[in-house]
Amino acid sequence: MGIFKKNPFGHILFLKKWLIRIMGLVTHQRYKGFNKLEIEGSEVIRALPETGVLFVSNHQTYFADVVAMFHVFNASLSGREDTIKNIGYLWQPKLNIYYVAAKETMGKSLLTKILAYAGSISIERTWRAAGENVNRQVKMSDITNIGTALKDGWVITFPQGTTTPWKPLRKGTAHIIKKYKPVVVPVVIDGFRRSFDKKGLYIKKKGILQSMAIKPPLEIDYENESVEAIIEKLEYAIEQHPSFLKVIPNEELQAYEDDHRNRRWRPDRD
């Protein structure tokens, strides 16, 4: 790899590799020390094609979720079985992993700009801006950028567009699936909301069991399934369909509501 070789977004791969290495070294103890990350599905990762994969996940923090995925995906590709033990897997990380994030979030600080360089596809949210509800047109350049990333590698997306649980999935994800026909891999995470602050930058509580379940790719009829049918399939796959509320203990639901209520008046709320 030439030292100045770039990806389709103009990022220098040599620099991106070192950012991922450093980010991985700094964050590893968050999932393998202060807290424990329980993983399922490493074999799914190893069986995926090099490009054209869309990971669809529920969302609990701005950054801790996706950083954990960088760890798990690279550890799995290095032959580790449901573990991120031995950080040597980050010496040769997969450099064509991208994640979808709000442009306003990724431009707020030097740290977020560094995280963006490591793999963000920054988009303008059509429903939320500066903590307020908005209603604006989808930018076609954002859709094109996601397609470019899928052609180059793997893309992680959080189709609820918020860290608040049980919110409806955005239909844009289904439109992207129908347009680009990626391999769609569901990911279900838990424990990150209890471990970290909302942004996922600071450890809120130690000794929390975090979990990440990587499920087999979904079977999707790209031509004939409707957007609504794909959305419902995704909701079930990432365990955010309203029917799941019926089987969750009341005390856990109350904890979610209390946590959301405590954040409601913060300027950076979803």
Side-chain angles (χ1 to χ4, degrees), residues 212-224:
M212 182 182 299
I214 303 154
K215 298 183 178 182
L218 295 177
E219 293 185 5
I220 297 175
D221 185 339
Y222 302 103
E223 301 297 337
N224 298 314

Side-chain angles (χ1 to χ4, degrees), residues 22-36:
I22 294 168
M23 178 178 68
L25 181 64
V26 170
T27 60
H28 188 253
Q29 283 295 98
R30 294 171 168 230
Y31 312 104
K32 191 62 180 174
F34 301 122
N35 296 294
K36 179 183 177 182

Side-chain angles (χ1 to χ4, degrees), residues 20-270:
I20 293 173
R21 287 172 177 172
I22 294 168
M23 178 178 68
L25 181 64
V26 170
T27 60
H28 188 253
Q29 283 295 98
R30 294 171 168 230
Y31 312 104
K32 191 62 180 174
F34 301 122
N35 296 294
K36 179 183 177 182
L37 178 59
E38 188 177 82
I39 304 163
E40 296 178 26
S42 289
E43 72 284 355
V44 174
I45 296 295
R46 289 192 292 273
L48 294 173
E50 176 68 16
T51 64
V53 178
L54 182 70
F55 293 92
V56 181
S57 177
N58 62 314
H59 201 20
Q60 296 197 338
T61 73
Y62 289 174
F63 300 114
D65 311 2
V66 73
V67 171
M69 291 180 194
F70 269 70
H71 277 286
V72 172
F73 295 175
N74 280 292
S76 299
L77 291 171
S78 296
R80 287 155 179 76
E81 193 65 40
D82 294 339
T83 182
I84 57 171
K85 184 178 180 181
N86 185 349
I87 201 171
Y89 58 79
L90 284 173
W91 185 247
Q92 293 296 337
K94 182 176 174 64
L95 296 178
N96 54 349
I97 299 177
Y98 303 93
Y99 62 96
V100 179
K103 183 176 294 183
E104 64 178 277
T105 299
M106 303 313 296
K108 283 185 175 180
S109 68
L110 176 60
L111 177 59
T112 58
K113 290 176 181 178
I114 291 173
L115 290 170
Y117 201 95
S120 167
I121 308 168
S122 298
I123 65 169
E124 287 189 4
R125 293 190 294 185
T126 59
W127 67 96
R128 196 78 170 167
E132 301 293 335
N133 292 328
V134 299
N135 185 11
R136 58 190 176 194
Q137 293 290 321
V138 174
K139 289 187 67 174
M140 293 311 299
S141 59
D142 290 344
I143 303 299
T144 300
N145 285 339
I146 293 173
T148 299
L150 284 168
K151 186 176 180 180
D152 186 60
W154 295 356
V155 175
I156 301 165
T157 188
F158 303 97
Q160 288 171 294
T162 175
T163 57
T164 304
W166 318 118
K167 292 297 183 181
L169 273 62
R170 301 288 167 179
K171 292 184 179 180
T173 302
H175 286 291
I176 288 168
I177 290 170
K178 287 180 71 68
K179 180 177 178 64
Y180 294 110
K181 301 176 176 57
V183 176
V184 180
V185 179
V187 180
V188 179
I189 62 170
D190 195 22
F192 294 86
R193 181 180 285 105
R194 297 185 293 277
S195 304
F196 302 100
D197 70 319
K198 184 179 179 180
K199 292 182 178 179
L201 298 176
Y202 302 104
I203 296 172
K204 185 168 67 175
K205 190 173 182 180
K206 298 180 181 180
I208 299 296
L209 177 61
Q210 304 158 346
S211 64
M212 182 182 299
I214 303 154
K215 298 183 178 182
L218 295 177
E219 293 185 5
I220 297 175
D221 185 339
Y222 302 103
E223 301 297 337
N224 298 314
E225 283 194 61
S226 66
V227 166
E228 291 73 19
I230 292 174
I231 287 294
E232 185 176 40
K233 185 174 288 188
L234 294 178
E235 286 179 332
Y236 277 110
I238 65 173
E239 301 178 11
Q240 291 293 301
H241 189 272
S243 62
F244 281 87
L245 289 168
K246 299 177 182 179
V247 297
I248 295 176
N250 287 333
E251 57 270 21
E252 187 171 339
L253 287 174
Q254 187 61 49
Y256 280 132
E257 289 300 321
D258 290 345
D259 187 50
H260 180 53
R261 191 178 299 109
N262 289 337
R263 298 195 309 261
R264 183 170 296 171
W265 305 112
R266 296 180 187 174
D268 62 349
R269 65 191 185 281
D270 282 327

